[in-house]
Amino acid sequence: MEFSKLSSVYFVLSFLGVASYWVGNVTLSIILRTLGLFVLLYEYWNHVKEENHLLFYLSILVVSVAEAFIIYGYEHHSIQIPTISLIIVYYWLNFFLLRKTTRENSIKYHRINWTILVLVLLLLAYLIFNFVGMMSEELVNTKPFVYASIFSFVLLCVHCIVIYFNKRSFRNFWLLLLATTIILAQSTLPLEALYFRSVYLKTIGFIAEILGHFFVLQYLITPEKEIVLQEGTEYL
């Protein structure tokens, strides 16, 4: 993988945004994180001018607003439902984006590593059970949105894993990394906002979000001809 200058700018802006949050400058943090996302959009447009997918642009625009709300503070009750709603929209935009850009649409289930898939599902079930149990008192008015968010992110993660195991390629490997960052973000940011109030935990969630957007971009711009593995080759 060639690490481009635009990707470097994206990470610099994004991590400066995290640093700004650490020192308490929420406004600057939102501005820097948003600028980073627009740099990511420009890199995508600059890289695949003839194969642009509108869903990617829409997903980044939606998540930029959602992340601004998260930085502002999910504990503010007035923005909880709008934030969760935007995150749900973001997950579904990515779900349909992956369906549209998958190079091998027919799923061959005999290629799927069912052991790993079941283990991932058990991990997700464990996280969901504990999250809902801990947050039950805090989620009185937002439970339907939270359940919709959980369903959406689980579906997206499983879809990423199925795509990878259906065709083990370096291009699809980005989706495994994406699923990991989604799980990490979903298991840290809501808990921090409603329960732990830890800047360290929130930073982990921020880093997971930053990496997740980058992984989606890499999946979209990685040429298939450069990354197809030989038949039968095991990767992870």
CSV table of all heavy atoms in Angstrom, one decimal, residues 20-67:
chain,number,residue,atom,x,y,z
A,20,SER,N,-6.8,18.5,20.3
A,20,SER,CA,-7.5,19.7,20.7
A,20,SER,C,-8.6,19.3,21.7
A,20,SER,O,-8.9,20.0,22.6
A,20,SER,CB,-8.2,20.3,19.5
A,20,SER,OG,-7.2,20.7,18.6
A,21,TYR,N,-9.2,18.1,21.5
A,21,TYR,CA,-10.2,17.7,22.5
A,21,TYR,C,-9.6,17.4,23.9
A,21,TYR,O,-10.2,17.8,24.9
A,21,TYR,CB,-10.9,16.4,22.0
A,21,TYR,CG,-11.9,15.9,22.9
A,21,TYR,CD1,-13.2,16.4,22.9
A,21,TYR,CD2,-11.6,14.9,23.8
A,21,TYR,CE1,-14.2,15.9,23.8
A,21,TYR,CE2,-12.6,14.4,24.7
A,21,TYR,CZ,-13.9,14.9,24.7
A,21,TYR,OH,-14.8,14.5,25.6
A,22,TRP,N,-8.4,16.9,23.8
A,22,TRP,CA,-7.7,16.6,25.1
A,22,TRP,C,-7.5,17.9,25.9
A,22,TRP,O,-7.5,17.9,27.1
A,22,TRP,CB,-6.3,16.0,24.8
A,22,TRP,CG,-6.4,14.5,24.8
A,22,TRP,CD1,-7.0,13.7,24.0
A,22,TRP,CD2,-5.8,13.6,25.8
A,22,TRP,NE1,-6.9,12.3,24.3
A,22,TRP,CE2,-6.1,12.3,25.5
A,22,TRP,CE3,-5.1,13.9,27.0
A,22,TRP,CZ2,-5.7,11.2,26.2
A,22,TRP,CZ3,-4.7,12.8,27.8
A,22,TRP,CH2,-5.0,11.5,27.4
A,23,VAL,N,-7.1,19.0,25.2
A,23,VAL,CA,-6.9,20.3,25.9
A,23,VAL,C,-8.1,21.1,26.2
A,23,VAL,O,-8.0,22.2,26.7
A,23,VAL,CB,-5.8,21.1,25.1
A,23,VAL,CG1,-4.5,20.4,25.0
A,23,VAL,CG2,-6.3,21.5,23.8
A,24,GLY,N,-9.3,20.5,25.7
A,24,GLY,CA,-10.5,21.2,26.1
A,24,GLY,C,-11.1,22.1,25.0
A,24,GLY,O,-12.1,22.8,25.3
A,25,ASN,N,-10.4,22.2,23.9
A,25,ASN,CA,-10.9,23.1,22.8
A,25,ASN,C,-11.9,22.3,21.9
A,25,ASN,O,-11.4,21.8,20.8
A,25,ASN,CB,-9.8,23.7,22.0
A,25,ASN,CG,-10.2,24.9,21.2
A,25,ASN,OD1,-11.3,25.0,20.7
A,25,ASN,ND2,-9.2,25.8,21.0
A,26,VAL,N,-13.1,22.2,22.2
A,26,VAL,CA,-14.1,21.4,21.5
A,26,VAL,C,-14.3,22.0,20.1
A,26,VAL,O,-14.4,21.2,19.1
A,26,VAL,CB,-15.4,21.3,22.3
A,26,VAL,CG1,-16.5,20.6,21.5
A,26,VAL,CG2,-15.2,20.6,23.6
A,27,THR,N,-14.4,23.3,20.0
A,27,THR,CA,-14.7,23.9,18.7
A,27,THR,C,-13.6,23.6,17.7
A,27,THR,O,-13.8,23.2,16.5
A,27,THR,CB,-14.9,25.4,18.8
A,27,THR,OG1,-15.9,25.7,19.7
A,27,THR,CG2,-15.2,26.0,17.5
A,28,LEU,N,-12.3,23.8,18.1
A,28,LEU,CA,-11.2,23.5,17.2
A,28,LEU,C,-11.2,22.0,16.9
A,28,LEU,O,-10.8,21.6,15.7
A,28,LEU,CB,-9.9,23.9,17.9
A,28,LEU,CG,-8.6,23.7,17.1
A,28,LEU,CD1,-8.7,24.5,15.8
A,28,LEU,CD2,-7.4,24.1,17.9
A,29,SER,N,-11.5,21.1,17.8
A,29,SER,CA,-11.5,19.7,17.6
A,29,SER,C,-12.5,19.4,16.5
A,29,SER,O,-12.2,18.6,15.6
A,29,SER,CB,-11.8,19.0,18.9
A,29,SER,OG,-11.9,17.6,18.6
A,30,ILE,N,-13.7,19.9,16.5
A,30,ILE,CA,-14.7,19.7,15.5
A,30,ILE,C,-14.2,20.2,14.2
A,30,ILE,O,-14.4,19.5,13.1
A,30,ILE,CB,-16.0,20.4,15.9
A,30,ILE,CG1,-16.6,19.7,17.2
A,30,ILE,CG2,-17.0,20.3,14.8
A,30,ILE,CD1,-17.8,20.4,17.7
A,31,ILE,N,-13.6,21.4,14.1
A,31,ILE,CA,-13.2,21.9,12.9
A,31,ILE,C,-12.1,21.1,12.2
A,31,ILE,O,-12.1,20.7,11.0
A,31,ILE,CB,-12.7,23.4,13.1
A,31,ILE,CG1,-13.8,24.3,13.4
A,31,ILE,CG2,-11.9,23.9,11.8
A,31,ILE,CD1,-13.4,25.7,13.9
A,32,LEU,N,-11.1,20.6,13.0
A,32,LEU,CA,-10.0,19.8,12.5
A,32,LEU,C,-10.5,18.5,12.0
A,32,LEU,O,-10.1,18.0,11.0
A,32,LEU,CB,-8.9,19.7,13.6
A,32,LEU,CG,-8.1,21.0,13.9
A,32,LEU,CD1,-7.2,20.8,15.1
A,32,LEU,CD2,-7.3,21.4,12.7
A,33,ARG,N,-11.3,17.8,12.8
A,33,ARG,CA,-11.9,16.5,12.4
A,33,ARG,C,-12.7,16.6,11.1
A,33,ARG,O,-12.6,15.8,10.3
A,33,ARG,CB,-12.7,15.9,13.5
A,33,ARG,CG,-11.9,15.5,14.8
A,33,ARG,CD,-11.2,14.2,14.6
A,33,ARG,NE,-12.1,13.1,14.3
A,33,ARG,CZ,-12.8,12.4,15.2
A,33,ARG,NH1,-12.6,12.7,16.5
A,33,ARG,NH2,-13.6,11.4,14.9
A,34,THR,N,-13.5,17.7,11.0
A,34,THR,CA,-14.3,17.9,9.8
A,34,THR,C,-13.4,18.1,8.6
A,34,THR,O,-13.6,17.6,7.5
A,34,THR,CB,-15.3,19.0,10.0
A,34,THR,OG1,-16.1,18.8,11.1
A,34,THR,CG2,-16.1,19.2,8.8
A,35,LEU,N,-12.4,19.0,8.8
A,35,LEU,CA,-11.4,19.2,7.7
A,35,LEU,C,-10.7,17.9,7.2
A,35,LEU,O,-10.5,17.7,6.0
A,35,LEU,CB,-10.4,20.3,8.1
A,35,LEU,CG,-10.8,21.7,8.2
A,35,LEU,CD1,-9.7,22.6,8.8
A,35,LEU,CD2,-11.3,22.2,6.8
A,36,GLY,N,-10.4,17.1,8.2
A,36,GLY,CA,-9.8,15.8,7.9
A,36,GLY,C,-10.7,15.0,7.0
A,36,GLY,O,-10.2,14.3,6.0
A,37,LEU,N,-11.9,14.9,7.3
A,37,LEU,CA,-12.9,14.1,6.5
A,37,LEU,C,-13.0,14.7,5.1
A,37,LEU,O,-13.2,13.9,4.2
A,37,LEU,CB,-14.2,14.1,7.3
A,37,LEU,CG,-14.3,13.3,8.5
A,37,LEU,CD1,-15.6,13.4,9.3
A,37,LEU,CD2,-14.1,11.8,8.2
A,38,PHE,N,-13.0,16.0,5.0
A,38,PHE,CA,-13.1,16.6,3.6
A,38,PHE,C,-11.8,16.3,2.8
A,38,PHE,O,-11.9,16.1,1.6
A,38,PHE,CB,-13.4,18.1,3.7
A,38,PHE,CG,-14.9,18.4,3.9
A,38,PHE,CD1,-15.4,18.6,5.2
A,38,PHE,CD2,-15.7,18.4,2.8
A,38,PHE,CE1,-16.7,18.8,5.4
A,38,PHE,CE2,-17.1,18.6,3.0
A,38,PHE,CZ,-17.6,18.9,4.3
A,39,VAL,N,-10.7,16.2,3.5
A,39,VAL,CA,-9.5,15.8,2.8
A,39,VAL,C,-9.6,14.4,2.3
A,39,VAL,O,-9.2,14.0,1.2
A,39,VAL,CB,-8.2,15.9,3.8
A,39,VAL,CG1,-7.0,15.2,3.1
A,39,VAL,CG2,-7.9,17.4,4.0
A,40,LEU,N,-10.2,13.5,3.1
A,40,LEU,CA,-10.5,12.1,2.7
A,40,LEU,C,-11.4,12.1,1.5
A,40,LEU,O,-11.1,11.3,0.6
A,40,LEU,CB,-11.1,11.4,3.9
A,40,LEU,CG,-10.9,9.8,3.9
A,40,LEU,CD1,-9.4,9.5,4.2
A,40,LEU,CD2,-11.8,9.2,5.0
A,41,LEU,N,-12.4,12.9,1.5
A,41,LEU,CA,-13.3,13.0,0.3
A,41,LEU,C,-12.5,13.4,-0.9
A,41,LEU,O,-12.7,12.9,-2.0
A,41,LEU,CB,-14.4,13.9,0.6
A,41,LEU,CG,-15.6,13.5,1.5
A,41,LEU,CD1,-16.6,14.5,1.6
A,41,LEU,CD2,-16.2,12.2,1.0
A,42,TYR,N,-11.7,14.4,-0.8
A,42,TYR,CA,-10.9,14.9,-1.9
A,42,TYR,C,-9.9,13.8,-2.4
A,42,TYR,O,-9.8,13.7,-3.6
A,42,TYR,CB,-10.1,16.1,-1.5
A,42,TYR,CG,-9.2,16.6,-2.6
A,42,TYR,CD1,-9.8,17.3,-3.8
A,42,TYR,CD2,-7.8,16.5,-2.6
A,42,TYR,CE1,-9.0,17.7,-4.8
A,42,TYR,CE2,-7.0,16.9,-3.6
A,42,TYR,CZ,-7.6,17.5,-4.7
A,42,TYR,OH,-6.8,17.9,-5.8
A,43,GLU,N,-9.3,13.1,-1.5
A,43,GLU,CA,-8.5,12.0,-1.9
A,43,GLU,C,-9.2,10.9,-2.7
A,43,GLU,O,-8.8,10.4,-3.8
A,43,GLU,CB,-7.8,11.3,-0.7
A,43,GLU,CG,-6.8,10.2,-1.2
A,43,GLU,CD,-6.1,9.6,0.0
A,43,GLU,OE1,-6.3,10.0,1.2
A,43,GLU,OE2,-5.2,8.8,-0.2
A,44,TYR,N,-10.4,10.6,-2.3
A,44,TYR,CA,-11.2,9.6,-3.0
A,44,TYR,C,-11.6,10.2,-4.4
A,44,TYR,O,-11.5,9.5,-5.4
A,44,TYR,CB,-12.5,9.3,-2.2
A,44,TYR,CG,-13.5,8.4,-2.9
A,44,TYR,CD1,-13.2,7.1,-3.2
A,44,TYR,CD2,-14.7,8.9,-3.4
A,44,TYR,CE1,-14.0,6.3,-3.8
A,44,TYR,CE2,-15.6,8.1,-4.1
A,44,TYR,CZ,-15.2,6.8,-4.3
A,44,TYR,OH,-16.1,5.9,-5.0
A,45,TRP,N,-12.1,11.4,-4.5
A,45,TRP,CA,-12.4,12.0,-5.8
A,45,TRP,C,-11.2,12.1,-6.7
A,45,TRP,O,-11.3,11.8,-7.9
A,45,TRP,CB,-13.0,13.4,-5.5
A,45,TRP,CG,-13.3,14.2,-6.8
A,45,TRP,CD1,-14.4,14.1,-7.6
A,45,TRP,CD2,-12.4,15.1,-7.5
A,45,TRP,NE1,-14.3,14.9,-8.7
A,45,TRP,CE2,-13.1,15.5,-8.6
A,45,TRP,CE3,-11.2,15.6,-7.2
A,45,TRP,CZ2,-12.5,16.4,-9.5
A,45,TRP,CZ3,-10.6,16.5,-8.1
A,45,TRP,CH2,-11.3,16.9,-9.2
A,46,ASN,N,-10.1,12.4,-6.1
A,46,ASN,CA,-8.9,12.6,-6.9
A,46,ASN,C,-8.3,11.2,-7.4
A,46,ASN,O,-7.7,11.2,-8.5
A,46,ASN,CB,-7.8,13.3,-6.1
A,46,ASN,CG,-6.6,13.7,-6.9
A,46,ASN,OD1,-6.7,14.4,-7.9
A,46,ASN,ND2,-5.4,13.3,-6.5
A,47,HIS,N,-8.7,10.2,-6.7
A,47,HIS,CA,-8.1,8.9,-7.0
A,47,HIS,C,-9.0,8.1,-8.0
A,47,HIS,O,-8.5,7.4,-8.9
A,47,HIS,CB,-7.9,8.0,-5.8
A,47,HIS,CG,-7.0,6.8,-5.9
A,47,HIS,ND1,-7.4,5.7,-6.5
A,47,HIS,CD2,-5.7,6.7,-5.5
A,47,HIS,CE1,-6.4,4.8,-6.5
A,47,HIS,NE2,-5.3,5.4,-5.9
A,48,VAL,N,-10.3,8.2,-7.9
A,48,VAL,CA,-11.2,7.5,-8.8
A,48,VAL,C,-12.2,8.4,-9.4
A,48,VAL,O,-13.4,8.3,-9.2
A,48,VAL,CB,-11.9,6.4,-8.0
A,48,VAL,CG1,-11.0,5.2,-7.6
A,48,VAL,CG2,-12.6,6.9,-6.7
A,49,LYS,N,-11.8,9.3,-10.3
A,49,LYS,CA,-12.6,10.3,-10.9
A,49,LYS,C,-13.7,9.7,-11.7
A,49,LYS,O,-14.8,10.2,-11.9
A,49,LYS,CB,-11.8,11.3,-11.7
A,49,LYS,CG,-10.9,12.1,-10.8
A,49,LYS,CD,-10.1,13.1,-11.7
A,49,LYS,CE,-9.2,14.0,-10.8
A,49,LYS,NZ,-8.4,14.9,-11.6
A,50,GLU,N,-13.4,8.5,-12.3
A,50,GLU,CA,-14.4,7.9,-13.2
A,50,GLU,C,-15.3,6.9,-12.6
A,50,GLU,O,-16.3,6.4,-13.1
A,50,GLU,CB,-13.6,7.2,-14.4
A,50,GLU,CG,-12.8,8.2,-15.2
A,50,GLU,CD,-12.1,7.5,-16.4
A,50,GLU,OE1,-12.2,6.3,-16.5
A,50,GLU,OE2,-11.5,8.2,-17.2
A,51,GLU,N,-15.0,6.5,-11.3
A,51,GLU,CA,-15.8,5.5,-10.6
A,51,GLU,C,-16.3,6.1,-9.3
A,51,GLU,O,-16.2,5.3,-8.3
A,51,GLU,CB,-15.0,4.2,-10.4
A,51,GLU,CG,-15.1,3.3,-11.6
A,51,GLU,CD,-14.5,2.0,-11.3
A,51,GLU,OE1,-15.1,1.2,-10.5
A,51,GLU,OE2,-13.4,1.7,-11.8
A,52,ASN,N,-16.7,7.3,-9.2
A,52,ASN,CA,-17.2,7.8,-8.0
A,52,ASN,C,-18.5,7.2,-7.5
A,52,ASN,O,-19.4,7.0,-8.3
A,52,ASN,CB,-17.3,9.4,-8.1
A,52,ASN,CG,-16.0,10.1,-8.0
A,52,ASN,OD1,-15.5,10.2,-6.9
A,52,ASN,ND2,-15.5,10.6,-9.0
A,53,HIS,N,-18.6,6.9,-6.2
A,53,HIS,CA,-19.8,6.4,-5.7
A,53,HIS,C,-20.4,7.5,-4.7
A,53,HIS,O,-19.7,7.8,-3.7
A,53,HIS,CB,-19.5,5.1,-4.9
A,53,HIS,CG,-19.1,4.0,-5.8
A,53,HIS,ND1,-20.0,3.3,-6.6
A,53,HIS,CD2,-17.9,3.5,-6.1
A,53,HIS,CE1,-19.4,2.4,-7.3
A,53,HIS,NE2,-18.1,2.5,-7.0
A,54,LEU,N,-21.5,7.9,-5.0
A,54,LEU,CA,-22.2,9.0,-4.3
A,54,LEU,C,-22.4,8.6,-2.8
A,54,LEU,O,-22.3,9.4,-1.9
A,54,LEU,CB,-23.5,9.4,-4.9
A,54,LEU,CG,-24.3,10.5,-4.2
A,54,LEU,CD1,-23.5,11.8,-4.2
A,54,LEU,CD2,-25.7,10.7,-4.9
A,55,LEU,N,-22.6,7.3,-2.6
A,55,LEU,CA,-22.9,6.8,-1.2
A,55,LEU,C,-21.7,7.1,-0.3
A,55,LEU,O,-21.9,7.4,0.9
A,55,LEU,CB,-23.1,5.3,-1.2
A,55,LEU,CG,-24.5,4.9,-1.8
A,55,LEU,CD1,-24.6,3.4,-1.9
A,55,LEU,CD2,-25.6,5.5,-1.0
A,56,PHE,N,-20.5,7.1,-0.8
A,56,PHE,CA,-19.3,7.4,0.0
A,56,PHE,C,-19.3,8.8,0.5
A,56,PHE,O,-19.1,9.2,1.6
A,56,PHE,CB,-18.0,7.0,-0.7
A,56,PHE,CG,-16.8,7.3,0.1
A,56,PHE,CD1,-16.5,6.5,1.3
A,56,PHE,CD2,-15.9,8.3,-0.2
A,56,PHE,CE1,-15.4,6.8,2.1
A,56,PHE,CE2,-14.7,8.5,0.6
A,56,PHE,CZ,-14.5,7.8,1.7
A,57,TYR,N,-19.6,9.7,-0.5
A,57,TYR,CA,-19.7,11.1,-0.2
A,57,TYR,C,-20.8,11.4,0.9
A,57,TYR,O,-20.6,12.2,1.8
A,57,TYR,CB,-20.0,12.0,-1.4
A,57,TYR,CG,-18.8,11.9,-2.4
A,57,TYR,CD1,-18.9,11.1,-3.5
A,57,TYR,CD2,-17.7,12.8,-2.3
A,57,TYR,CE1,-17.9,11.1,-4.5
A,57,TYR,CE2,-16.7,12.8,-3.2
A,57,TYR,CZ,-16.8,11.9,-4.3
A,57,TYR,OH,-15.8,11.9,-5.2
A,58,LEU,N,-21.9,10.8,0.7
A,58,LEU,CA,-23.0,11.0,1.6
A,58,LEU,C,-22.7,10.5,3.0
A,58,LEU,O,-23.0,11.1,4.0
A,58,LEU,CB,-24.3,10.3,1.1
A,58,LEU,CG,-24.9,10.9,-0.1
A,58,LEU,CD1,-26.1,10.0,-0.6
A,58,LEU,CD2,-25.4,12.3,0.1
A,59,SER,N,-22.0,9.3,3.1
A,59,SER,CA,-21.7,8.7,4.4
A,59,SER,C,-20.7,9.6,5.1
A,59,SER,O,-20.9,9.8,6.3
A,59,SER,CB,-21.1,7.3,4.2
A,59,SER,OG,-19.8,7.4,3.6
A,60,ILE,N,-19.7,10.2,4.4
A,60,ILE,CA,-18.8,11.1,5.1
A,60,ILE,C,-19.4,12.4,5.6
A,60,ILE,O,-19.2,12.9,6.7
A,60,ILE,CB,-17.6,11.4,4.2
A,60,ILE,CG1,-16.8,10.1,3.9
A,60,ILE,CG2,-16.7,12.4,4.8
A,60,ILE,CD1,-16.2,9.5,5.1
A,61,LEU,N,-20.3,12.9,4.8
A,61,LEU,CA,-21.0,14.1,5.2
A,61,LEU,C,-21.9,13.8,6.4
A,61,LEU,O,-21.9,14.6,7.3
A,61,LEU,CB,-21.9,14.6,4.0
A,61,LEU,CG,-21.2,15.2,2.8
A,61,LEU,CD1,-22.1,15.5,1.7
A,61,LEU,CD2,-20.3,16.4,3.2
A,62,VAL,N,-22.6,12.7,6.4
A,62,VAL,CA,-23.4,12.3,7.5
A,62,VAL,C,-22.6,12.1,8.8
A,62,VAL,O,-22.9,12.7,9.9
A,62,VAL,CB,-24.3,11.1,7.2
A,62,VAL,CG1,-24.9,10.5,8.5
A,62,VAL,CG2,-25.3,11.4,6.2
A,63,VAL,N,-21.5,11.4,8.7
A,63,VAL,CA,-20.7,11.1,9.9
A,63,VAL,C,-20.0,12.3,10.4
A,63,VAL,O,-19.6,12.4,11.6
A,63,VAL,CB,-19.7,9.9,9.6
A,63,VAL,CG1,-18.5,10.4,8.9
A,63,VAL,CG2,-19.4,9.2,10.8
A,64,SER,N,-19.7,13.3,9.5
A,64,SER,CA,-19.0,14.5,10.0
A,64,SER,C,-19.9,15.2,11.0
A,64,SER,O,-19.4,15.8,12.0
A,64,SER,CB,-18.6,15.4,8.8
A,64,SER,OG,-19.8,15.9,8.1
A,65,VAL,N,-21.2,15.3,10.7
A,65,VAL,CA,-22.1,15.9,11.6
A,65,VAL,C,-22.3,15.1,12.9
A,65,VAL,O,-22.2,15.6,14.0
A,65,VAL,CB,-23.5,16.1,11.0
A,65,VAL,CG1,-24.5,16.7,11.9
A,65,VAL,CG2,-23.4,16.9,9.7
A,66,ALA,N,-22.4,13.7,12.7
A,66,ALA,CA,-22.5,12.8,13.9
A,66,ALA,C,-21.3,13.0,14.8
A,66,ALA,O,-21.4,13.0,16.0
A,66,ALA,CB,-22.6,11.4,13.4
A,67,GLU,N,-20.1,13.0,14.2
A,67,GLU,CA,-18.8,13.1,15.0
A,67,GLU,C,-18.8,14.5,15.7
A,67,GLU,O,-18.2,14.6,16.8
A,67,GLU,CB,-17.6,12.9,14.2
A,67,GLU,CG,-17.5,11.4,13.7
A,67,GLU,CD,-16.2,11.1,13.1
A,67,GLU,OE1,-15.4,12.0,12.9
A,67,GLU,OE2,-16.0,9.9,12.7
